[in-house]
């Protein structure tokens, strides 16, 4: 499992889309302990407006939960439960339901706030479900193995089957590895990142039409994405001239139609030992999960920390 995760590290993702940032909150920890157990390799991260944090484990499928006012998270969904042996993207909707993308199983899991399994939907054809976004009437999930964007309709408390909504041939060029996904507040337009291929796509979710976003000033072929109005944040990794890979969050400004993106800011960088994979908003700051997927060996505890240098 560890070998598989290390090889796939660059392609795992998690993403959180949020509203404009609220007022500052003081007195919160700058480092959160997800787990002190070995080989957890956290990957997905989401934070609710009330300050509840959820983190997934790419290695075991466990989901951890905590309060951003407290420095330690606790197991919420046990490793391997419900057949969830690996987990990537995670989101909570307005009903409090928790949506989890099962990476190795190609399965979408939906849970009640108390951890009761509400639905389990599996994509066909060897899918590797990576990241997801929840809109008013559906959940959309990226598939890194096949280059497909899947959709499951949401009708009240019912979660529909996963159906291929945008296929590889619908893109301007077939994507090599779909990763992060976010949507605008209307739920009609999504932005999808192709990590490695360094492309960002705009998807009209009604027409199922895909165009490439024109990105200038930097990279947005990101792992985790966060969309706030016309600001887009993405966790990127770059290798410098000396061959050293560093991780950072890039901030881009989008035009009104979400067709162009200009990178205008960058966080401080961290090394491959920490290898962040997802970014989320907590009040007046950004948080990212430090997966340690590239660390050899990994060194627990596994943590979530503040993103340096960006708000």
């Amino acid at each position: 499992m560890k070998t598989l995760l290390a090889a796939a590290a660059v392609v795992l993702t998690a993403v959180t889309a949020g509203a404009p940032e609220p007022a500052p909150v003081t007195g919160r920890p700058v480092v959160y302990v997800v787990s002190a157990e070995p080989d957890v390799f956290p990957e997905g991260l989401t934070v609710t407006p009330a300050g509840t944090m959820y983190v997934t484990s790419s290695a075991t499928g466990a989901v951890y939960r905590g309060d951003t006012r407290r420095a330690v998270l606790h197991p919420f969904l046990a490793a391997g439960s419900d057949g969830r042996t690996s987990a990537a993207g995670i989101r909570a909707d307005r009903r409090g339901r928790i949506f989890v993308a099962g990476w190795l199983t190609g399965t979408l899991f939906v849970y009640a706030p108390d951890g009761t399994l509400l639905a389990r939907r599996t994509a066909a054809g060897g899918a590797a479900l990576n990241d997801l976004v929840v809109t008013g009437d559906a959940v959309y999930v990226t598939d890194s193995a096949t280059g497909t964007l899947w959709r499951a309709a949401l009708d009240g408390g019912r979660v529909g089957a996963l159906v291929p909504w945008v296929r590889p041939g619908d893109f301007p060029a077939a994507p090599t590895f779909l990763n992060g996904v976010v949507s605008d507040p209307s739920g009609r337009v999504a932005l999808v990142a192709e990590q490695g291929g360094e492309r960002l796509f705009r998807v009209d979710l009604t027409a199922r039409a895909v165009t490439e976003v024109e990105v200038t000033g930097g990279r947005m072929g990101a792992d985790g994405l966060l969309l706030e109005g016309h600001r887009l944040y993405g966790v990127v990794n770059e290798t410098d001239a000396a061959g050293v890979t560093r991780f950072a969050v890039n901030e881009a400004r989008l035009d009104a139609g979400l067709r162009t993106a200009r990178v205008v800011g960058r966080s401080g960088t961290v090394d491959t030992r920490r290898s962040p994979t997802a970014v989320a908003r907590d009040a007046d700051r950004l948080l990212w999960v430090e997966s340690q997927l590239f660390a050899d060996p990994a060194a627990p505890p596994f943590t979530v920390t503040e993103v340096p240098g960006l708000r």
Side-chain angles (χ1 to χ4, degrees):
M1 174 64 72
K2 184 175 179 182
T3 301
L4 173 62
L5 290 168
V10 71
V11 300
L12 289 172
T13 184
V15 61
T16 303
E21 61 191 84
V25 177
T26 58
R28 298 194 173 192
V30 297
V31 177
Y32 297 88
V33 175
V34 177
S35 176
E37 297 295 319
D39 300 329
V40 168
F41 300 105
E43 199 277 336
L45 168 69
T46 193
V47 179
T48 72
T52 301
M53 181 191 305
Y54 295 94
V55 177
T56 62
S57 167
S58 59
T60 71
V63 177
Y64 299 85
R65 181 173 66 182
D67 188 309
T68 56
R69 295 170 297 181
R70 298 176 178 87
V72 178
L73 280 68
H74 302 282
F76 171 58
L77 303 174
S81 60
D82 305 314
R84 201 187 56 260
T85 56
S86 179
I90 186 167
R91 287 282 291 159
D93 72 358
R94 294 178 181 177
R95 293 170 171 257
R97 295 178 295 187
I98 299 96
F99 295 74
V100 181
W103 167 252
L104 293 179
T105 61
T107 302
L108 172 69
F109 300 87
V110 185
Y111 292 91
D114 66 358
T116 301
L117 179 66
L118 300 176
R120 181 170 46 201
R121 303 289 183 260
T122 300
L129 300 187
N130 198 326
D131 199 15
L132 54 87
V133 64
V134 183
T135 68
D137 62 356
V139 52
Y140 296 89
V141 193
T142 56
D143 177 355
S144 299
T146 71
T148 300
L149 182 66
W150 297 83
R151 180 184 190 269
L154 301 178
D155 183 8
R158 181 180 177 276
V159 181
L162 280 171
V163 298
W165 200 246
V166 179
R167 300 177 184 270
D170 297 323
F171 289 82
T176 57
F177 209 94
L178 292 184
N179 208 319
V181 57
V182 290
S183 74
D184 73 339
S186 75
R188 298 189 183 97
V189 176
L191 297 175
V192 182
E194 180 191 29
Q195 193 176 16
E198 297 306 321
R199 293 186 294 175
L200 182 68
F201 297 105
R202 179 188 189 275
V203 182
D204 183 320
L205 295 171
T206 302
R208 305 194 200 186
V210 185
T211 54
E212 185 172 348
V213 177
E214 181 184 347
V215 179
T216 58
R219 303 170 59 178
M220 289 305 293
D223 196 333
L225 291 176
L226 168 66
L227 179 63
E228 297 180 330
H230 291 113
R231 289 187 299 176
L232 179 67
Y233 299 93
V235 181
V236 299
N237 57 285
E238 300 177 346
T239 302
D240 63 21
V244 177
T245 299
R246 307 286 294 180
F247 291 77
V249 171
N250 279 354
E251 177 189 356
R253 296 298 172 93
L254 300 160
D255 72 323
L258 308 186
R259 299 180 187 277
T260 64
R262 180 171 57 91
V263 176
V264 297
R266 189 187 195 202
S267 74
T269 61
V270 297
D271 61 24
T272 54
R273 171 166 288 279
R274 293 168 65 179
S275 52
T277 51
V279 60
R281 167 69 63 188
D282 176 46
D284 63 333
R285 62 185 183 163
L286 298 175
L287 301 175
W288 59 11
V289 60
E290 298 181 336
S291 71
Q292 295 194 50
L293 281 168
F294 288 110
D296 186 18
F302 295 92
T303 58
V304 169
T305 66
E306 286 190 7
V307 177
L310 281 181
R311 293 284 177 177

